[in-house]
Amino acid sequence: AQSVSQHNHHVILSEAASLELGCNYSYGGTVNLFWYVQYPGQHLQLLLKYFSGDPLVKGIKGFEAEFIKSKFSFNLRKPSVQWSDTAEYFCAVNARRNNRLAFGKGNQVVVIP
Amino acid sequence: DAGVIQSPRHEVTEMGQEVTLRCKPISGHDYLFWYRQTMMRGLELLIYFNNNVPIDDSGMPEDRFSAKMPNASFSTLKIQPSEPRDSAVYFCASSSWGGRDETQYFGPGTRLLVL
């Protein structure tokens, strides 16, 4: 079964700072990769996803992620965060053979105005 | 499409009572998932269905939990009897498979508090 690791569970940064959240997965086969965002008190929303093609994926709200197959990584980035980016961010992976998502523990990001 | 619909949005009940959570997946989706989210354990998959058939219920905590999907547009998650440790946010998600978009889309969740 696949597993997902997210480090630095709590991240605190100031507005305009750059953000990078790491995501590593363990699965040797072909995968689909996702980043979801959960704003305070809300449900999970899709931020971006990678199925195939260009490994640099651009999502909503200025976020992007890069799939590096050799490193089993799918790190999320945003060059300049805003206070409204305060949220919890989840990386998720599923093997192409099945529809079951494995989620990481999440990164709680707090952006200070 | 209205997205995944869940009801109720909030539920407060007393220990020992039966709780029923409801979910309406996105029309046309053939997969439905039930998740539980807590501070301690994060996001856990409880059970998922494909074409109304339960595929994997290994995440269901114990016999007090049961889930059904009588048709393609409705699923329930039942807890009987409920216990305080069941307090959590329960999410339903749906997806299609084999098409161009295999993303899971989440509902707004049901916040359950068992006193």
Side-chain angles (χ1 to χ4, degrees):
Chain A
Q2 57 269 31
S3 66
V4 181
S5 297
Q6 292 180 246
H7 307 290
N8 301 322
H9 183 66
H10 291 96
V11 177
I12 301 174
L13 59 167
S14 300
E15 276 193 317
S18 64
L19 173 69
E20 180 159 0
L21 302 177
C23 173
N24 289 90
Y25 65 93
S26 63
Y27 182 72
T30 306
V31 294
N32 295 327
L33 298 150
F34 305 83
W35 276 97
Y36 285 87
V37 60
Q38 187 177 28
Y39 298 103
Q42 297 189 25
H43 63 288
L44 276 78
Q45 302 172 43
L46 183 68
L47 203 52
L48 49 76
K49 61 188 176 186
Y50 173 81
F51 287 175
S52 63
D54 187 344
L56 184 61
V57 181
K58 294 193 183 298
I60 60 172
K61 303 186 180 185
F63 284 89
E64 64 178 30
E66 185 175 13
F67 171 49
I68 303 180
K69 188 175 181 179
S70 61
K71 295 185 178 180
F72 298 90
S73 71
F74 190 55
N75 293 353
L76 181 71
R77 296 191 291 258
K78 184 169 183 178
S80 176
V81 295
Q82 300 173 318
W83 174 79
S84 57
D85 293 322
T86 294
E88 190 154 16
Y89 294 82
F90 293 91
C91 182
V93 175
N94 75 276
R96 288 287 175 84
R97 294 178 188 172
N98 70 70
N99 204 359
R100 181 178 179 139
L101 270 181
F103 279 89
K105 295 290 187 185
N107 295 107
Q108 183 67 56
V109 174
V110 175
V111 180
I112 301 171
Chain B
D1 199 310
V4 177
I5 299 172
Q6 290 186 248
S7 65
R9 295 293 305 276
H10 302 271
E11 177 82 27
V12 181
T13 190
E14 292 186 343
M15 183 173 64
Q17 296 299 306
E18 177 180 295
V19 174
T20 300
L21 311 180
R22 297 173 178 79
C23 175
K24 182 181 188 314
I26 292 172
S27 177
H29 281 186
D30 53 355
Y31 279 83
L32 184 140
F33 305 80
W34 282 101
Y35 291 89
R36 178 172 68 175
Q37 186 179 37
T38 61
M39 289 287 290
M40 293 297 294
R41 300 173 69 93
L43 201 61
E44 305 173 275
L45 177 65
L46 301 178
I47 185 172
Y48 76 94
F49 295 82
N50 176 219
N51 291 322
N52 315 335
V53 177
I55 302 300
D56 184 350
D57 65 355
S58 59
M60 295 285 263
E62 48 197 276
D63 292 346
R64 297 185 297 107
F65 285 69
S66 63
K68 294 182 180 180
M69 192 166 185
N71 58 63
S73 58
F74 183 66
S75 176
T76 59
L77 178 67
K78 187 173 293 187
I79 309 172
Q80 167 62 23
S82 58
E83 296 182 3
R85 60 194 169 116
D86 301 331
S87 298
V89 182
Y90 291 81
F91 289 105
C92 177
S94 71
S95 72
S96 61
W97 190 248
R100 298 184 65 181
D101 184 3
E102 298 171 342
T103 304
Q104 287 188 26
Y105 293 92
F106 284 75
T110 295
R111 292 184 175 274
L112 174 64
L113 178 61
V114 183
L115 302 173

